[in-house]
Structure formats: structure tokens, C-alpha cells
Amino acid sequence: MADTNHAFPLAPHDHVFLGRDHDTAERRTWAVIVLCSVMMVAEIVGGALFGSLALIADGLHMSTHAGALLLAALAYTYARKYAYDRSFTFGTGKFGDLAGYTSAIVLAMIALLIGYEAVERLLHPVAIDFNEAIPIASLGLAVNIASAWLLSGGHHHGHGHDHSHGHAHDRNHHHDEEPRLVTFDAGTLSVAVFEDGVPPRFRITAEADHLPAASDLTIETIRPGGSRHLFAFADKGAYLESRDEIPEPHAFVARLSLTEAGVSAIRELTFHEHDHAAAHHRDYNMRAAIVHVMADAAVSVLVIAGLLLARAFDWLWMDPIAGLVGAVVIANWSVALIRDTGGILLDRMPDGRIAEKIRTTVESEGDRVTDLHLWRLGPGHLGAIVCVATVTAREAAHYRQRLACFADLSHVTVEVQHAPGLSG
């Protein structure tokens, strides 16, 4: 009968799975709320003073805009406030996803209301005060552009977490980090892992176009489990490329050895397994806020175009048609947001590629993964439960060490089944 060994931490650890940009995103969201609130008060007061019903109506619309963003801001604040509350088993990282899901539902309802109003106006046209409506729509567009700028500023990646990373991926080939630079006496070399539609290999270029001889350079990788692999290089003209492919995962210490004038010099680089382009890094709370603002901006553009055409050619039907198009655009965005955030709330596996890499890493020593659960804990944070069957005496700590190369695995539970009779 197989015995089971669970990996329990030696000391308590926190379950704070918030995005790295959490505090910045929270401040920016509150700033946009202030902007919308000021504009709302100005429009309502101005409309009352000057007798403009359209201005008052737009001010009330701005209040719904601020209300939707308030949901995002409160989610940030609540998640931060209760980040260390142990009654939340896996932390508060999903509050943003819950807020994003709710915002997506609100967006869908707004799309339905706009669509209903557009159809109503097609069937029963109403007179439009173009001289008043166009400036108000333009003002709304300006506020939305300013809001989008505030929300997106300093939030380029849509992810974050509290780990330190070392990457060696070419930014032009599905990764965000630039190639690594190492300096020898003869000059500086650029080291990258190239995998643009081909098996991954080391690629070496020279900063001053002075490549060393391929026979003078080697790279030895040392993985967390102690395994080593020596890579020789071939001269490809503009660059040197390793003859062998780099096995997954790409997490190791790379020891570069260069022989110059009979003297060898060694430099080391640390590589971590990490995929910045993965969807599990996205901050869906911020994405929902930006989508809300952009949806409003898109409608403003369509409304302005519709109003200008209606005034120029007396096409009153252009205004409701523009509204219908805007409703379709908003509905499409809301459905995509509902699908993404709903999958997170239901613990759908966030990235099949990482799951396969985890399986490959564990099974590389002849063991077998019998069960694997992978889910998102927050932006840039993944949780994993890995069940391993082995004929060896390895314990859970061994597999936890091997999985430490995955920087995004913030909470890992390993179950080991010692089964002497196990066969491939």
C-alpha cells in the first residue's frame, strides 16, 4: 500500500497574493473617481444654473461612471486591508477578479439600456439640440480620455507580484525582458534564449560585432536539482547558437566560459521560469475599469459622429444608429470580461503551458504526476497541488525544491505516494 507524505511548511507564511502594482492601481482609480465626481458636480450645477437639461443628464450619467469605478477602488482597498486576514484561506487576491466580473455585468446592462434607447429613438425620433449636445459629448470624451490615461499610466504589464526575477528571453520573441549582457575583457556579449517558433537555444551576439570563436565559448547550466548540461556553440555568422536545445523549464544558473588568449574567464547568469505574457498576470480589476472608461469613450466618439452627420444632412436616425453600434461594442467587451473573470472565480486552470512544464519538471527523474491542480490566487500568483507517485525515497521537500524555479508558483502543496511496485 502506498504511503502518503504531505509538504507542510516549517514555519507559518503569509497568503498575500496581491499584484505588485496594487497600491499604484488603487491610487490611480481613486484619482479618476475624484475627476469624474468633480465633473459630475460641475455639470449638474451648471445645468441647473443655465437651465440645460442635457447638461444635467450628462452629469447624472457621469455619476454612474464614477459609481462603476468606485467598485474597482473599493475592491483594491478591501483586498489590501484584509490581505493578512487568515480567514481568507488563499488570500484576497481574487477580490479584483470579483470586482471585474461585477463590472462586466454592469457593462452588459449598460449595453442593453443603450440598445433599448437607440431602438426607441429609431421608432420615435426626438428633436436634438445639436449646439448643446455636441459640446457636451466632446466634454465627456475629453474626461474619458483623461481617465483612461490616469488608469493606464504606470500600469503597462497588467501583472505583478513580490518575487525578484531574472529573465533571459528576447523581448522580440514572446518575452518582455531584454537579452542579458555579460562583459569579458574582449568585450560585451548579449545572451538570450531564442524560441520564436523553434526549439529554444542559446543565442549569443556581440555588442561591438566582434564575436568570439564558437569553439572558445561554452555554457553550462546548473539546475536546482543539481543536474548539469554543457552547451557547445555553432557559428551562424551574425551570432553564435547552441548546438543543443534547452530543456524545459528554463530555470537554472548559466555558467559562461570564454577562452581568450589561452586564459579562461567565467561569468554566471541566473534564469527563472517565468512568462510575463501569460493571462494569469493580468489585473482584471484594472482591466474592467479601463474597459468601462474606453467603452464610454467609444460611445462618445460614435455619438459625436452621429450628431455631426445628423446636423449636416438632417439624418436624425444617425444618432440612434451610433448608439446601437456603441451597444454592440460594449456588449462584446463585457462578454469577454465575463468569460475571463468567471473562469478565474471558478478556478479554471489559468495556463496549460505552465501546467505541462510543471508535469515535465517533476517527471524528468522518472516519477509520475498522478494529479495536478493549478489555479490563480491573484495577479501573477498561482497555487498548485501536485500529487507524485515515486519508487524512490524522495520526500515532498525534494519536489518543492524542483518547482521553486517557477517564480509564479506562490503556494505549492505536494503529496508524495511511495509505491515500491510502481511501474512506468
PDB file of all heavy atoms in Angstrom, residues 363-384:
ATOM      1  N   GLU A 363       8.407  14.945 -13.581  1.00  0.00           N
ATOM      2  CA  GLU A 363       8.559  13.597 -14.148  1.00  0.00           C
ATOM      3  C   GLU A 363       9.912  13.375 -14.814  1.00  0.00           C
ATOM      4  O   GLU A 363      10.190  12.280 -15.302  1.00  0.00           O
ATOM      5  CB  GLU A 363       7.435  13.332 -15.152  1.00  0.00           C
ATOM      6  CG  GLU A 363       6.058  13.273 -14.501  1.00  0.00           C
ATOM      7  CD  GLU A 363       4.948  12.927 -15.480  1.00  0.00           C
ATOM      8  OE1 GLU A 363       5.181  13.065 -16.701  1.00  0.00           O
ATOM      9  OE2 GLU A 363       3.851  12.525 -15.030  1.00  0.00           O
ATOM     10  N   SER A 364      10.763  14.407 -14.854  1.00  0.00           N
ATOM     11  CA  SER A 364      12.056  14.284 -15.539  1.00  0.00           C
ATOM     12  C   SER A 364      12.990  13.289 -14.862  1.00  0.00           C
ATOM     13  O   SER A 364      13.965  12.839 -15.466  1.00  0.00           O
ATOM     14  CB  SER A 364      12.739  15.657 -15.620  1.00  0.00           C
ATOM     15  OG  SER A 364      13.023  16.148 -14.316  1.00  0.00           O
ATOM     16  N   GLU A 365      12.710  12.938 -13.603  1.00  0.00           N
ATOM     17  CA  GLU A 365      13.557  11.990 -12.881  1.00  0.00           C
ATOM     18  C   GLU A 365      12.919  10.609 -12.783  1.00  0.00           C
ATOM     19  O   GLU A 365      13.338   9.780 -11.980  1.00  0.00           O
ATOM     20  CB  GLU A 365      13.853  12.520 -11.477  1.00  0.00           C
ATOM     21  CG  GLU A 365      14.648  13.815 -11.487  1.00  0.00           C
ATOM     22  CD  GLU A 365      14.895  14.361 -10.085  1.00  0.00           C
ATOM     23  OE1 GLU A 365      14.017  14.200  -9.210  1.00  0.00           O
ATOM     24  OE2 GLU A 365      15.972  14.939  -9.868  1.00  0.00           O
ATOM     25  N   GLY A 366      11.885  10.354 -13.593  1.00  0.00           N
ATOM     26  CA  GLY A 366      11.278   9.034 -13.620  1.00  0.00           C
ATOM     27  C   GLY A 366      10.061   8.873 -12.737  1.00  0.00           C
ATOM     28  O   GLY A 366       9.440   7.796 -12.714  1.00  0.00           O
ATOM     29  N   ASP A 367       9.684   9.915 -11.986  1.00  0.00           N
ATOM     30  CA  ASP A 367       8.478   9.854 -11.166  1.00  0.00           C
ATOM     31  C   ASP A 367       7.251  10.110 -12.032  1.00  0.00           C
ATOM     32  O   ASP A 367       7.370  10.421 -13.218  1.00  0.00           O
ATOM     33  CB  ASP A 367       8.560  10.892 -10.043  1.00  0.00           C
ATOM     34  CG  ASP A 367       9.772  10.651  -9.145  1.00  0.00           C
ATOM     35  OD1 ASP A 367      10.033   9.495  -8.811  1.00  0.00           O
ATOM     36  OD2 ASP A 367      10.451  11.638  -8.806  1.00  0.00           O
ATOM     37  N   ARG A 368       6.076  10.011 -11.441  1.00  0.00           N
ATOM     38  CA  ARG A 368       4.861  10.233 -12.212  1.00  0.00           C
ATOM     39  C   ARG A 368       3.907  11.154 -11.447  1.00  0.00           C
ATOM     40  O   ARG A 368       3.665  10.934 -10.250  1.00  0.00           O
ATOM     41  CB  ARG A 368       4.165   8.904 -12.511  1.00  0.00           C
ATOM     42  CG  ARG A 368       3.031   9.070 -13.514  1.00  0.00           C
ATOM     43  CD  ARG A 368       2.473   7.737 -13.958  1.00  0.00           C
ATOM     44  NE  ARG A 368       1.610   7.149 -12.935  1.00  0.00           N
ATOM     45  CZ  ARG A 368       1.663   5.883 -12.543  1.00  0.00           C
ATOM     46  NH1 ARG A 368       2.569   5.075 -13.077  1.00  0.00           N
ATOM     47  NH2 ARG A 368       0.841   5.425 -11.620  1.00  0.00           N
ATOM     48  N   VAL A 369       3.413  12.185 -12.155  1.00  0.00           N
ATOM     49  CA  VAL A 369       2.401  13.073 -11.576  1.00  0.00           C
ATOM     50  C   VAL A 369       1.041  12.401 -11.754  1.00  0.00           C
ATOM     51  O   VAL A 369       0.586  12.183 -12.877  1.00  0.00           O
ATOM     52  CB  VAL A 369       2.411  14.452 -12.266  1.00  0.00           C
ATOM     53  CG1 VAL A 369       1.260  15.309 -11.744  1.00  0.00           C
ATOM     54  CG2 VAL A 369       3.743  15.149 -12.030  1.00  0.00           C
ATOM     55  N   THR A 370       0.406  12.057 -10.644  1.00  0.00           N
ATOM     56  CA  THR A 370      -0.889  11.381 -10.712  1.00  0.00           C
ATOM     57  C   THR A 370      -2.057  12.358 -10.643  1.00  0.00           C
ATOM     58  O   THR A 370      -3.167  12.013 -11.045  1.00  0.00           O
ATOM     59  CB  THR A 370      -1.017  10.360  -9.569  1.00  0.00           C
ATOM     60  OG1 THR A 370      -0.874  11.046  -8.306  1.00  0.00           O
ATOM     61  CG2 THR A 370       0.063   9.289  -9.687  1.00  0.00           C
ATOM     62  N   ASP A 371      -1.813  13.557 -10.129  1.00  0.00           N
ATOM     63  CA  ASP A 371      -2.880  14.560 -10.051  1.00  0.00           C
ATOM     64  C   ASP A 371      -2.231  15.937  -9.980  1.00  0.00           C
ATOM     65  O   ASP A 371      -1.213  16.116  -9.303  1.00  0.00           O
ATOM     66  CB  ASP A 371      -3.754  14.327  -8.816  1.00  0.00           C
ATOM     67  CG  ASP A 371      -5.096  15.038  -8.913  1.00  0.00           C
ATOM     68  OD1 ASP A 371      -5.430  15.516 -10.021  1.00  0.00           O
ATOM     69  OD2 ASP A 371      -5.812  15.142  -7.903  1.00  0.00           O
ATOM     70  N   LEU A 372      -2.795  16.876 -10.691  1.00  0.00           N
ATOM     71  CA  LEU A 372      -2.234  18.231 -10.717  1.00  0.00           C
ATOM     72  C   LEU A 372      -3.369  19.246 -10.769  1.00  0.00           C
ATOM     73  O   LEU A 372      -4.231  19.178 -11.649  1.00  0.00           O
ATOM     74  CB  LEU A 372      -1.318  18.410 -11.924  1.00  0.00           C
ATOM     75  CG  LEU A 372      -0.783  19.831 -12.185  1.00  0.00           C
ATOM     76  CD1 LEU A 372       0.056  20.318 -11.005  1.00  0.00           C
ATOM     77  CD2 LEU A 372       0.039  19.869 -13.475  1.00  0.00           C
ATOM     78  N   HIS A 373      -3.381  20.147  -9.817  1.00  0.00           N
ATOM     79  CA  HIS A 373      -4.356  21.242  -9.789  1.00  0.00           C
ATOM     80  C   HIS A 373      -3.586  22.556  -9.817  1.00  0.00           C
ATOM     81  O   HIS A 373      -2.666  22.766  -9.026  1.00  0.00           O
ATOM     82  CB  HIS A 373      -5.225  21.182  -8.526  1.00  0.00           C
ATOM     83  CG  HIS A 373      -6.034  19.930  -8.421  1.00  0.00           C
ATOM     84  ND1 HIS A 373      -7.270  19.790  -9.003  1.00  0.00           N
ATOM     85  CD2 HIS A 373      -5.770  18.745  -7.810  1.00  0.00           C
ATOM     86  CE1 HIS A 373      -7.736  18.582  -8.760  1.00  0.00           C
ATOM     87  NE2 HIS A 373      -6.844  17.929  -8.031  1.00  0.00           N
ATOM     88  N   LEU A 374      -3.968  23.433 -10.735  1.00  0.00           N
ATOM     89  CA  LEU A 374      -3.307  24.730 -10.876  1.00  0.00           C
ATOM     90  C   LEU A 374      -4.374  25.800 -11.003  1.00  0.00           C
ATOM     91  O   LEU A 374      -5.288  25.673 -11.824  1.00  0.00           O
ATOM     92  CB  LEU A 374      -2.416  24.716 -12.128  1.00  0.00           C
ATOM     93  CG  LEU A 374      -1.546  25.951 -12.387  1.00  0.00           C
ATOM     94  CD1 LEU A 374      -0.439  26.051 -11.352  1.00  0.00           C
ATOM     95  CD2 LEU A 374      -0.956  25.898 -13.789  1.00  0.00           C
ATOM     96  N   TRP A 375      -4.305  26.834 -10.182  1.00  0.00           N
ATOM     97  CA  TRP A 375      -5.296  27.888 -10.233  1.00  0.00           C
ATOM     98  C   TRP A 375      -4.677  29.223  -9.870  1.00  0.00           C
ATOM     99  O   TRP A 375      -3.579  29.285  -9.341  1.00  0.00           O
ATOM    100  CB  TRP A 375      -6.472  27.565  -9.302  1.00  0.00           C
ATOM    101  CG  TRP A 375      -6.180  27.679  -7.834  1.00  0.00           C
ATOM    102  CD1 TRP A 375      -6.502  28.718  -7.006  1.00  0.00           C
ATOM    103  CD2 TRP A 375      -5.516  26.701  -7.010  1.00  0.00           C
ATOM    104  NE1 TRP A 375      -6.074  28.454  -5.725  1.00  0.00           N
ATOM    105  CE2 TRP A 375      -5.477  27.227  -5.698  1.00  0.00           C
ATOM    106  CE3 TRP A 375      -4.965  25.443  -7.252  1.00  0.00           C
ATOM    107  CZ2 TRP A 375      -4.897  26.536  -4.644  1.00  0.00           C
ATOM    108  CZ3 TRP A 375      -4.382  24.755  -6.199  1.00  0.00           C
ATOM    109  CH2 TRP A 375      -4.358  25.306  -4.912  1.00  0.00           C
ATOM    110  N   ARG A 376      -5.397  30.286 -10.182  1.00  0.00           N
ATOM    111  CA  ARG A 376      -4.897  31.640  -9.935  1.00  0.00           C
ATOM    112  C   ARG A 376      -5.321  32.107  -8.543  1.00  0.00           C
ATOM    113  O   ARG A 376      -6.487  31.996  -8.157  1.00  0.00           O
ATOM    114  CB  ARG A 376      -5.443  32.585 -11.011  1.00  0.00           C
ATOM    115  CG  ARG A 376      -5.210  34.064 -10.717  1.00  0.00           C
ATOM    116  CD  ARG A 376      -5.569  34.908 -11.912  1.00  0.00           C
ATOM    117  NE  ARG A 376      -5.984  36.252 -11.521  1.00  0.00           N
ATOM    118  CZ  ARG A 376      -5.649  37.350 -12.164  1.00  0.00           C
ATOM    119  NH1 ARG A 376      -4.913  37.277 -13.244  1.00  0.00           N
ATOM    120  NH2 ARG A 376      -6.073  38.532 -11.767  1.00  0.00           N
ATOM    121  N   LEU A 377      -4.345  32.672  -7.816  1.00  0.00           N
ATOM    122  CA  LEU A 377      -4.597  33.222  -6.487  1.00  0.00           C
ATOM    123  C   LEU A 377      -4.734  34.738  -6.521  1.00  0.00           C
ATOM    124  O   LEU A 377      -5.342  35.331  -5.632  1.00  0.00           O
ATOM    125  CB  LEU A 377      -3.442  32.851  -5.548  1.00  0.00           C
ATOM    126  CG  LEU A 377      -3.184  31.364  -5.354  1.00  0.00           C
ATOM    127  CD1 LEU A 377      -1.841  31.147  -4.679  1.00  0.00           C
ATOM    128  CD2 LEU A 377      -4.298  30.733  -4.535  1.00  0.00           C
ATOM    129  N   GLY A 378      -4.167  35.362  -7.526  1.00  0.00           N
ATOM    130  CA  GLY A 378      -4.183  36.808  -7.677  1.00  0.00           C
ATOM    131  C   GLY A 378      -3.315  37.144  -8.881  1.00  0.00           C
ATOM    132  O   GLY A 378      -2.708  36.256  -9.487  1.00  0.00           O
ATOM    133  N   PRO A 379      -3.223  38.417  -9.257  1.00  0.00           N
ATOM    134  CA  PRO A 379      -2.406  38.794 -10.422  1.00  0.00           C
ATOM    135  C   PRO A 379      -0.956  38.355 -10.266  1.00  0.00           C
ATOM    136  O   PRO A 379      -0.252  38.795  -9.355  1.00  0.00           O
ATOM    137  CB  PRO A 379      -2.525  40.323 -10.450  1.00  0.00           C
ATOM    138  CG  PRO A 379      -3.801  40.623  -9.741  1.00  0.00           C
ATOM    139  CD  PRO A 379      -3.902  39.582  -8.663  1.00  0.00           C
ATOM    140  N   GLY A 380      -0.492  37.455 -11.138  1.00  0.00           N
ATOM    141  CA  GLY A 380       0.878  36.996 -11.084  1.00  0.00           C
ATOM    142  C   GLY A 380       1.159  35.944 -10.040  1.00  0.00           C
ATOM    143  O   GLY A 380       2.317  35.592  -9.819  1.00  0.00           O
ATOM    144  N   HIS A 381       0.122  35.405  -9.395  1.00  0.00           N
ATOM    145  CA  HIS A 381       0.288  34.385  -8.359  1.00  0.00           C
ATOM    146  C   HIS A 381      -0.534  33.151  -8.706  1.00  0.00           C
ATOM    147  O   HIS A 381      -1.737  33.258  -8.979  1.00  0.00           O
ATOM    148  CB  HIS A 381      -0.163  34.913  -7.004  1.00  0.00           C
ATOM    149  CG  HIS A 381       0.655  36.055  -6.475  1.00  0.00           C
ATOM    150  ND1 HIS A 381       1.854  35.872  -5.829  1.00  0.00           N
ATOM    151  CD2 HIS A 381       0.455  37.392  -6.515  1.00  0.00           C
ATOM    152  CE1 HIS A 381       2.340  37.052  -5.472  1.00  0.00           C
ATOM    153  NE2 HIS A 381       1.519  37.989  -5.886  1.00  0.00           N
ATOM    154  N   LEU A 382       0.117  31.990  -8.671  1.00  0.00           N
ATOM    155  CA  LEU A 382      -0.564  30.727  -8.930  1.00  0.00           C
ATOM    156  C   LEU A 382      -0.447  29.808  -7.722  1.00  0.00           C
ATOM    157  O   LEU A 382       0.572  29.820  -7.013  1.00  0.00           O
ATOM    158  CB  LEU A 382       0.044  30.029 -10.148  1.00  0.00           C
ATOM    159  CG  LEU A 382      -0.090  30.735 -11.498  1.00  0.00           C
ATOM    160  CD1 LEU A 382       0.646  29.941 -12.575  1.00  0.00           C
ATOM    161  CD2 LEU A 382      -1.548  30.925 -11.878  1.00  0.00           C
ATOM    162  N   GLY A 383      -1.482  29.030  -7.498  1.00  0.00           N
ATOM    163  CA  GLY A 383      -1.452  27.982  -6.486  1.00  0.00           C
ATOM    164  C   GLY A 383      -1.415  26.641  -7.195  1.00  0.00           C
ATOM    165  O   GLY A 383      -1.962  26.487  -8.289  1.00  0.00           O
ATOM    166  N   ALA A 384      -0.764  25.649  -6.582  1.00  0.00           N
ATOM    167  CA  ALA A 384      -0.676  24.329  -7.203  1.00  0.00           C
ATOM    168  C   ALA A 384      -0.739  23.239  -6.146  1.00  0.00           C
ATOM    169  O   ALA A 384      -0.177  23.376  -5.049  1.00  0.00           O
ATOM    170  CB  ALA A 384       0.613  24.203  -8.013  1.00  0.00           C
TER     171      ALA A 384
END
